[in-house]
Amino acid sequence: MKNALSVFFGIDRTYVSVMRPTPKGLALDFIDSTRNAVDLENPFDDASKAGEMELNEFIEENKDKVEKINVTIPAEMVFVTQFPGKPGMSVDELRQLVNLEIRQAFPQFNPEEFVTTITPMEQTKDGIHMMMATIVQRDILDTIKEIFQNKMPVQDIEISQLNAHSSFLYNYPEAANKTIMIFGIQEQFIDVSIVKNTKPAYYNLLSLSNPDKLGEMFEEEFNKVKETTVEQIDGAYFFGMGLTKELYFHAWETSMAIGLETGRMNAFRMVTTDLDKRRKDYCSRIMHIAPPCIGAHIPAYHERIRLI
């Protein structure tokens, strides 16, 4: 069986990797990024077309190593919502709830213009079963299909935050039975989620209008989640292209004050490679950016229900 090419359409650029299974775990065979971002919402922009040409070069370089593509899209291009549900709900029941969410959030659109994936979440402290819906415009999925048309099939499409979950759980196996906060830091937004016993338990999207306030936002989310969702939090990890040293210091300072272990997520912590020193140094520089790209190689730890 050949391996998958992972393509993460980041806001700043597109990241590409190839991995293969070995007796010691996953091995990295290729890693690179485009200079120009591919804008899935505006694919005919000159810079976006340039980024697509660079991406095609990576695909051509690896076409004999892989036979399928796993795609990750940034959370900024997805509408994420949560609603109470119950185990065993039918697809039709879930679709009715999702259509209601879409009509409330996007009254100008037809629900059929979107594709939704449902992720059952861990129960809240009050015993409520929640469902997380990631809702993507069909136009974005059509753009992805056109980019890879006549190249190789797209096997899977997922959002960056959930693939970061997979990357974290693979690279930090000691946290499998723990409750961990995960912060995805972008230029203007923060995705906050909770992984509890390998399953999602919470999600929120925050506006990062003032980076100096990150510590306060961290503490507010910590207190909120402990009050409503989980009994305890065992640690917090940060990733994303917007995670500067200054921002991480604000988060670290707050974590020390509240007695919580924290760290920059390393997408390559449990990954081996035979790549040269230059590529290894590159991995060191992007270890906190690459979790969505690397996580796409790993089967999801959580259940997913696709509503077509």
Side-chain angles (χ1 to χ4, degrees):
M1 175 68 75
K2 292 187 179 180
N3 306 304
L5 186 84
S6 172
V7 178
F8 170 33
F9 289 106
I11 295 298
D12 62 330
R13 59 185 66 201
T14 299
Y15 298 85
V16 179
S17 61
V18 175
M19 302 186 77
R20 58 183 165 83
T22 75
K24 295 183 178 180
L26 290 175
L28 181 69
D29 286 341
F30 179 85
I31 184 82
D32 212 331
S33 60
T34 62
R35 293 181 298 276
N36 297 279
V38 178
D39 187 348
L40 297 176
E41 295 176 314
N42 189 18
F44 300 108
D45 175 78
D46 288 344
S48 185
K49 295 300 290 184
E52 187 177 337
M53 290 179 63
E54 295 176 75
L55 174 59
N56 288 337
E57 291 176 7
F58 295 155
I59 295 173
E60 184 68 20
E61 183 177 347
N62 290 280
K63 67 180 182 181
D64 295 330
K65 302 176 187 176
V66 298
E67 64 177 15
K68 56 196 175 186
I69 293 175
N70 292 333
V71 173
T72 305
I73 54 179
E76 291 93 331
M77 293 186 181
V78 179
F79 173 57
V80 180
T81 185
Q82 299 167 78
F83 52 84
K86 60 179 184 289
M89 293 182 71
S90 70
V91 171
D92 286 340
E93 290 175 316
L94 290 170
R95 185 176 288 112
Q96 289 177 12
L97 290 174
V98 168
N99 286 348
L100 179 60
E101 295 286 329
I102 292 173
R103 289 191 181 99
Q104 290 178 339
F106 307 105
Q108 71 275 30
F109 290 107
N110 186 321
E112 293 182 359
E113 296 178 51
F114 299 86
V115 173
T116 301
T117 301
I118 302 292
T119 302
M121 306 178 77
E122 285 287 283
Q123 296 184 73
T124 66
K125 289 174 66 173
D126 296 333
I128 299 173
H129 290 274
M130 298 295 292
M131 301 283 185
M132 182 172 72
T134 55
I135 302 169
V136 188
Q137 284 187 284
R138 286 188 184 274
D139 287 349
I140 289 176
L141 301 182
D142 290 342
T143 296
I144 291 171
K145 291 177 183 177
E146 289 174 11
I147 289 172
F148 299 113
Q149 190 175 22
N150 302 322
K151 295 181 179 68
M152 62 185 73
V154 175
Q155 175 182 258
D156 188 50
I157 299 175
E158 185 56 275
I159 65 169
S160 54
Q161 192 74 8
L162 290 180
N163 274 347
H165 284 195
S166 297
S167 178
F168 174 78
L169 291 166
Y170 174 80
N171 282 293
Y172 297 81
E174 69 275 16
N177 298 317
K178 295 183 178 181
T179 301
I180 305 293
M181 293 185 80
I182 294 181
F183 291 78
I185 311 293
Q186 308 308 321
E187 286 187 340
Q188 298 178 333
F189 297 97
I190 305 174
D191 293 275
V192 185
S193 56
I194 294 283
V195 178
K196 178 183 178 182
N197 298 323
T198 76
K199 301 294 188 296
Y202 174 84
Y203 175 85
N204 195 14
L205 180 66
L206 305 176
S207 174
L208 186 60
S209 55
N210 185 352
D212 292 337
K213 299 290 185 181
L214 177 60
E216 295 177 25
M217 297 167 70
F218 178 10
E219 187 169 7
E220 287 175 6
E221 285 293 294
F222 175 83
N223 292 331
K224 175 183 174 182
V225 169
K226 284 198 67 175
E227 181 180 343
T228 62
T229 307
V230 296
E231 294 290 343
Q232 68 176 40
I233 297 171
D234 301 304
Y237 284 81
F238 294 77
F239 77 95
M241 57 82 61
L243 183 60
T244 62
K245 290 182 179 179
E246 181 182 5
L247 279 176
Y248 180 66
F249 177 74
H250 289 315
W252 179 84
E253 242 185 353
T254 300
S255 70
M256 291 298 101
I258 60 181
L260 185 68
E261 178 185 347
T262 189
R264 281 198 313 159
M265 194 186 301
N266 182 356
F268 306 104
R269 183 173 182 248
M270 302 293 287
V271 173
T272 61
T273 187
D274 294 324
L275 294 175
D276 59 27
K277 184 179 184 302
R278 185 174 68 87
R279 291 293 180 187
K280 289 178 180 177
D281 289 343
Y282 177 65
C283 289
S284 296
R285 293 196 304 272
I286 68 163
M287 70 175 195
H288 62 288
I289 299 174
C293 189
I294 299 305
H297 291 284
I298 301 162
Y301 291 79
H302 56 270
E303 180 185 358
R304 296 189 296 177
I305 304 167
R306 185 79 175 269
L307 304 183
I308 305 297

